[in-house]
Amino acid sequence: MTAVSFVALIIFAKLLDPNDFGSYAVAVSVIEVAGIFTNMLFHDALVREPKASDAHFNAAFTVSLLVSAVVFGILLTIFPLLAALVGDPRIGDVGRVLGIGLLFEAPTSILNARLRKEFGFRILAIRTLIGRTAGAAIGILAALMGFGIWSLVIQSLLMTILGSATLVLLTEWRPRLTRKLRPLADVLNYSVGAVTSLATNFATKRAFIFFTGVFLGVEKVGFLNMAFRLVDTVWAISATAISQVMLPSMARLQHDRERLLRAYRIALTIGCALIYPIFVGIGCEAPELISVIFGTKWLPAAEPALWLSLIVLVQAPRLFMTSLLSAIGEIKSIRSVNLVVLAYMAMAIAATRLPGIDYALAVWSGSECLALTLLTLLVYRKCDLSSYAHLRMLAAPSIASGLMAIGINLTRQLLPGTQPSLSIVLLSVVGFLIYAGLSLILAKHSLVLAIELWRSQRQKPSGNP
């Protein structure tokens, strides 16, 4: 599924200009924040609620429809104003059309929550595959026909509409409109915390994209967006898989603190040991990767891609920390962290006014480091896991990844004039060998945990879930 989106991205990069990607990214940054309030209002709360019944899902479905209509009306009003602020009238038209997708996503988000709660990931995967494949195919056709930025809009809308239709067709259960909204009282407290937490988290990145467009122009946003897409494509594979499983799995252990923390330690240690070298490699090889995949016109995206790849060393632990805190009901604390980071982002942008892409990336890096620091302190307070304990778990993959980066850069200096595609192969092999060798020396604990986890899964009786 992610491969389909990435192939489509490659083709769009060949056919469209950075300005098209920049204008589209600015419009989408607003839509995605609005989508939190329509699509995720009750999603995580329903997944976490052990006594969620049809009454809960029907009430959530009814309210989600009303909220999506209100949000869509607001978007129709504000997008022309936002387009004038950025100085690109296309943003207003693109944003209002993209807003239509929220009217489809909101009701099907309740089906999504029910399937996720029941671990119905097969249907969710089929939904995503059909939506992305069909949307990408028709969007690419539109780009070939000269539709420009509108080909990206067509892809996004069709992905949403067709994916929603597939979900409805493959799901036996159907939500119903109801006047009985009282069941939502059982999930409202967690729901408000979850949606505000998600909204502030999303708003931080989307505000960064939006104001980069305001101060640096849509072309710079186009290059920055391409760097994000390169990194996020791989991040989506790991982060989505982890988050989809981590919350429901840890929610089942929320009343057994010892088992919960043990599962957290194992997941964090093994997860980061696997994630770190992938993104360090992407960052170090960004010039070659971008040249081969997207074309030389996108080479200005290489420097942002390096920054964003290295920031994953900070982002990855946060993914596990937020799942742990959500499982024990500390969603308000996560929201507070996100609010502080959003406030930092607003003040940093206002103070610097982002005079260049380096300043923008420094501001973004600061927000990620601040979030990790606050979450680490929060996990210590709520779970008695110190920053030193986290440092011990992450030290080996961090050191190995850093030495791998040095080895890749030294190897590049020995390969002047080498074709980019050949350089990618050689640098990847060198990086893999360095990281694998160092892991055997530094990360014995991670390997022991991985073997222990594998053995426990093999010894688990077949009748157990």
Side-chain angles (χ1 to χ4, degrees):
M1 293 174 285
T2 303
V4 172
S5 297
F6 192 63
V7 170
L9 175 64
I10 294 172
I11 298 174
F12 282 124
K14 304 288 186 181
L15 298 174
L16 305 180
D17 295 326
N19 284 327
D20 294 326
F21 275 88
S23 299
Y24 177 76
V26 171
V28 168
S29 67
V30 179
I31 293 294
E32 288 182 335
V33 173
I36 293 297
F37 297 96
T38 60
N39 309 338
M40 300 298 293
L41 183 58
F42 299 108
H43 184 280
D44 284 359
L46 291 172
V47 172
R48 183 178 180 275
E49 175 56 45
K51 298 180 181 180
S53 64
D54 286 355
H56 291 88
F57 284 97
N58 289 332
F61 173 75
T62 302
V63 173
S64 294
L65 279 176
L66 295 174
V67 171
S68 65
V70 171
V71 171
F72 179 65
I74 294 173
L75 291 175
L76 291 178
T77 303
I78 68 170
F79 255 113
L81 303 176
L82 299 178
L85 182 62
V86 179
D88 188 341
R90 297 185 301 172
I91 292 173
D93 296 330
V94 166
R96 284 180 290 183
V97 174
L98 285 173
I100 297 172
L102 300 179
L103 301 176
F104 291 87
E105 286 184 307
T108 54
S109 68
I110 306 304
L111 287 175
N112 189 310
R114 191 179 183 95
L115 287 169
R116 186 180 171 193
K117 184 178 183 65
E118 298 171 353
F119 287 82
F121 298 123
R122 185 182 67 86
I123 294 177
L124 293 175
I126 294 173
R127 181 277 308 266
T128 305
L129 178 62
I130 292 176
R132 288 188 180 182
T133 302
I138 299 174
I140 290 169
L141 180 60
L144 290 169
M145 296 173 63
F147 278 74
I149 190 175
W150 289 102
S151 61
L152 296 171
V153 177
I154 291 170
Q155 179 201 29
S156 178
L157 272 183
L158 287 179
M159 180 177 68
T160 297
I161 295 171
L162 296 176
S164 297
T166 302
L167 193 60
V168 172
L169 291 173
L170 294 180
T171 307
E172 294 182 3
W173 182 82
R174 296 286 185 274
R176 298 178 180 179
L177 292 173
T178 181
R179 295 181 180 179
K180 299 178 180 179
L181 304 181
R182 184 170 296 178
L184 291 181
D186 297 332
V187 298
L188 191 60
N189 187 47
Y190 185 89
S191 179
V192 171
V195 76
T196 52
S197 175
L198 283 170
T200 50
N201 186 37
F202 264 67
T204 301
K205 181 175 181 179
R206 275 61 190 178
F208 173 70
I209 293 290
F210 181 83
F211 284 103
T212 300
V214 171
F215 293 116
L216 299 180
V218 293
E219 184 180 40
K220 291 290 181 65
V221 174
F223 290 124
L224 182 61
N225 182 56
M226 186 59 71
F228 268 114
R229 294 291 295 274
L230 175 64
V231 176
D232 287 350
T233 296
V234 184
W235 177 249
I237 299 173
S238 51
T240 302
I242 291 171
S243 61
Q244 288 286 332
V245 176
M246 284 282 287
L247 178 57
S249 297
M250 287 194 170
R252 294 182 176 184
L253 300 174
Q254 59 184 296
H255 300 300
D256 188 338
R257 185 59 63 91
E258 183 178 348
R259 289 180 62 198
L260 176 64
L261 294 180
R262 176 172 174 77
Y264 168 74
R265 290 189 184 94
I266 292 175
L268 176 66
T269 303
I270 297 176
C272 289
L274 295 174
I275 290 172
Y276 279 10
I278 296 173
F279 288 94
V280 170
I282 290 173
C284 292
E285 298 176 35
E288 291 83 6
L289 289 170
I290 290 174
S291 178
V292 170
I293 297 173
F294 303 123
T296 55
K297 70 178 179 180
W298 291 100
L299 277 176
E303 182 181 353
L306 172 60
W307 280 66
L308 297 174
S309 296
L310 296 181
I311 290 173
V312 170
L313 274 67
V314 176
Q315 289 176 315
R318 287 175 47 207
L319 184 64
F320 297 93
M321 292 177 181
T322 52
S323 294
L324 172 64
L325 293 169
S326 297
I328 62 175
E330 290 294 334
I331 195 66
K332 290 184 178 179
S333 299
I334 298 174
R335 178 184 60 190
S336 299
V337 170
N338 291 339
L339 283 171
V340 171
V341 174
L342 179 60
Y344 156 82
M345 178 67 72
M347 291 187 293
I349 291 175
T352 63
R353 298 181 66 84
L354 305 181
I357 196 68
D358 290 342
Y359 281 87
L361 291 168
V363 167
W364 178 251
S365 301
S367 70
E368 295 288 350
C369 293
L370 175 61
L372 177 64
T373 301
L374 295 176
L375 284 172
T376 303
L377 293 174
L378 191 57
V379 170
Y380 173 63
R381 288 183 56 194
K382 302 298 180 180
C383 303
D384 199 27
L385 280 178
S386 67
S387 55
Y388 176 71
H390 284 92
L391 183 62
R392 287 189 61 187
M393 288 185 279
L394 300 176
S398 299
I399 294 172
S401 297
L403 293 175
M404 183 187 81
I406 294 173
I408 289 175
N409 287 321
L410 290 175
T411 303
R412 177 185 283 111
Q413 296 178 15
L414 300 175
L415 302 172
T418 305
Q419 289 293 325
S421 56
L422 180 58
S423 294
I424 292 173
V425 174
L426 296 175
L427 295 176
S428 298
V429 170
V430 169
F432 172 79
L433 293 175
I434 292 175
Y435 187 82
L438 290 171
S439 295
L440 292 174
I441 300 172
L442 300 174
K444 292 181 180 179
H445 181 60
S446 300
L447 295 175
V448 170
L449 284 175
I451 294 172
E452 181 180 337
L453 180 63
W454 175 74
R455 285 179 175 175
S456 67
Q457 292 297 320
R458 289 201 62 183
Q459 294 173 358
K460 183 184 295 184
S462 59
N464 289 355

